[in-house]
Amino acid sequence: MQDLEKILENKNVKPTAMRLLVLQLLRNKNAAVSLTDLEDHFIKSDRTTIYRTLKTFVKNEIAHKIVDGTGITKYALCEENCHCEIETDLHVHFHCKICNETICFPKNKIPYIKLPDGYEADNVSLTVTGICDKCNT
Amino acid sequence: MQDLEKILENKNVKPTAMRLLVLQLLRNKNAAVSLTDLEDHFIKSDRTTIYRTLKTFVKNEIAHKIVDGTGITKYALCEENCHCEIETDLHVHFHCKICNETICFPKNKIPYIKLPDGYEADNVSLTVTGICDKCNT
DNA sequence: CACATAAATGCACTTCCGTTGCACTATAAA
DNA sequence: TTTATAGTGCAACGGAAGTGCATTTATGTG
Ligand SMILES: [Mn+2]
Ligand SMILES: [Mn+2]
Ligand SMILES: [Zn+2]
Ligand SMILES: [Zn+2]
């Protein structure tokens, strides 16, 4: 619990109770979580507080936002030394249509995409949908 | 207007007035469109009808659904001879954060992603966000 | 400690999008 | 013409994101 505070302070985020709890949950879970997931888990806390906590985490590069095609925004902790740089830090995500979990594939970096002249990229999202190993056969 | 009917009939979709109009608009527009876009354009038609038209188009492989990170589902016509196969037919999409348009990059096929054992893919989405050529500088 | 200020939280409410149920209408078949 | 089927329109619902404002908690200063 101690180093959780360090993580937040290193990113200039004050370690409030709510933030520590959300951070802890994100770290213990190996799947991406949605705002509703957190709301259901921390039933005593208000949805808005969790919403703003996540927003703060994304802004301060503690967590990253994931678009998995479900229409529901998911969040996962950034890797160590992540700066959310498009060339180096972004990775593939996988969404299982059976168990409905979305997980990070940090080993699978997103390949470079050559865009036509004039186009400028500042973010890339690559999501694979299908069946995960646990749900397969 | 004649060959629009052919397109629908080839996909076993009856060419109703609404379907022909939506198909025509999709073909004349080089950007992906949302349900709301169509609703605003065909103000005399009901939102539900357009919704179901798009659903029919996707099901019958006339159009494909695009996840561009905005949280709003977009649609665009399939390429000629598209069968929405994951290995051959899927391409990159670009979303401009200035003009808010989402366009297809049919030349940029989505590269093969090697998944860990046990994972099975049935869909892939690769979206680049940034500034398009028209909006750049 | 007392007070002033700023940050974080909680509550209520709104808006937007996707979706569904059901009734009505147009089309096609018998 | 009757009957069945497919398409359309209307109304409503539910989930999710987001905002305004009041209240509480933390911080800092004399
Ligand atoms: Mn991730
Ligand atoms: Mn496309
Ligand atoms: Zn699964
Ligand atoms: Zn643009």
Side-chain angles (χ1 to χ4, degrees):
Chain A
M1 195 74 170
Q2 204 64 358
D3 56 340
L4 288 175
E5 296 192 11
K6 275 278 166 54
I7 294 174
L8 294 182
E9 282 165 0
N10 287 341
K11 302 286 189 173
N12 296 313
V13 173
K14 287 183 190 166
T16 67
M18 187 77 256
R19 288 170 179 170
L20 288 167
L21 286 171
V22 172
L23 179 59
Q24 189 182 39
L25 187 143
L26 284 176
R27 204 172 54 165
N28 291 344
K29 208 155 160 64
N30 61 341
V33 299
S34 68
L35 175 55
T36 305
D37 290 337
L38 293 168
E39 192 193 4
D40 292 344
H41 193 263
F42 300 117
I43 46 176
K44 295 180 69 181
S45 304
D46 187 74
R47 176 180 193 82
T48 313
T49 305
I50 306 174
Y51 169 72
R52 289 182 178 134
T53 297
L54 290 169
K55 204 172 176 183
T56 302
F57 281 12
V58 171
K59 184 179 151 211
N60 294 62
E61 296 182 346
I62 294 166
H64 63 274
K65 203 184 279 201
I66 301 169
V67 175
D68 66 2
T70 62
I72 298 164
T73 308
K74 307 285 174 64
Y75 302 86
L77 279 196
C78 287
E79 303 288 304
E80 197 89 21
N81 299 324
C82 172
H83 292 87
C84 302
E85 297 280 342
I86 183 174
E87 304 89 0
T88 53
D89 295 328
L90 303 185
H91 54 252
V92 174
H93 293 103
F94 184 91
H95 173 73
C96 174
K97 63 183 179 181
I98 307 288
C99 65
N100 207 30
E101 292 220 321
T102 299
I103 60 176
C104 296
F105 281 173
K107 310 279 182 188
N108 291 74
K109 300 298 176 198
I110 298 182
Y112 172 75
I113 309 291
K114 171 122 184 85
L115 300 174
D117 284 352
Y119 286 84
E120 200 175 307
D122 60 42
N123 202 9
V124 184
S125 157
L126 201 173
T127 304
V128 182
T129 306
I131 303 175
C132 78
D133 56 347
K134 287 172 193 154
C135 296
N136 208 346
T137 59
Chain B
M1 195 72 171
Q2 205 65 359
D3 56 339
L4 287 176
E5 296 191 12
K6 274 280 166 53
I7 293 174
L8 295 182
E9 283 165 359
N10 288 340
K11 303 284 187 172
N12 296 312
V13 172
K14 286 183 190 165
T16 67
M18 187 76 257
R19 289 171 179 170
L20 288 168
L21 286 171
V22 172
L23 179 60
Q24 188 180 40
L25 187 144
L26 284 176
R27 205 172 55 165
N28 291 345
K29 206 156 162 65
N30 60 340
V33 300
S34 68
L35 175 55
T36 305
D37 290 337
L38 292 168
E39 193 190 2
D40 293 344
H41 193 263
F42 300 117
I43 46 175
K44 295 180 69 180
S45 304
D46 185 75
R47 175 180 192 79
T48 311
T49 305
I50 306 173
Y51 169 72
R52 291 181 176 135
T53 297
L54 291 170
K55 203 171 176 185
T56 301
F57 281 12
V58 170
K59 183 179 152 209
N60 295 62
E61 296 181 345
I62 294 166
H64 63 273
K65 202 183 280 199
I66 301 169
V67 175
D68 65 3
T70 62
I72 298 162
T73 307
K74 308 285 175 62
Y75 301 86
L77 279 196
C78 287
E79 304 289 302
E80 197 90 21
N81 297 326
C82 172
H83 292 87
C84 301
E85 297 280 343
I86 182 174
E87 305 87 359
T88 52
D89 295 328
L90 303 185
H91 53 254
V92 175
H93 293 103
F94 185 91
H95 173 72
C96 174
K97 62 185 180 183
I98 306 290
C99 65
N100 206 31
E101 291 220 322
T102 299
I103 60 174
C104 295
F105 281 173
K107 310 277 182 190
N108 291 73
K109 298 300 176 197
I110 298 183
Y112 171 74
I113 309 292
K114 168 116 185 92
L115 299 175
D117 284 351
Y119 285 83
E120 201 175 307
D122 59 42
N123 202 9
V124 184
S125 157
L126 202 173
T127 305
V128 182
T129 307
I131 302 173
C132 79
D133 56 347
K134 288 172 192 153
C135 296
N136 208 347
T137 61

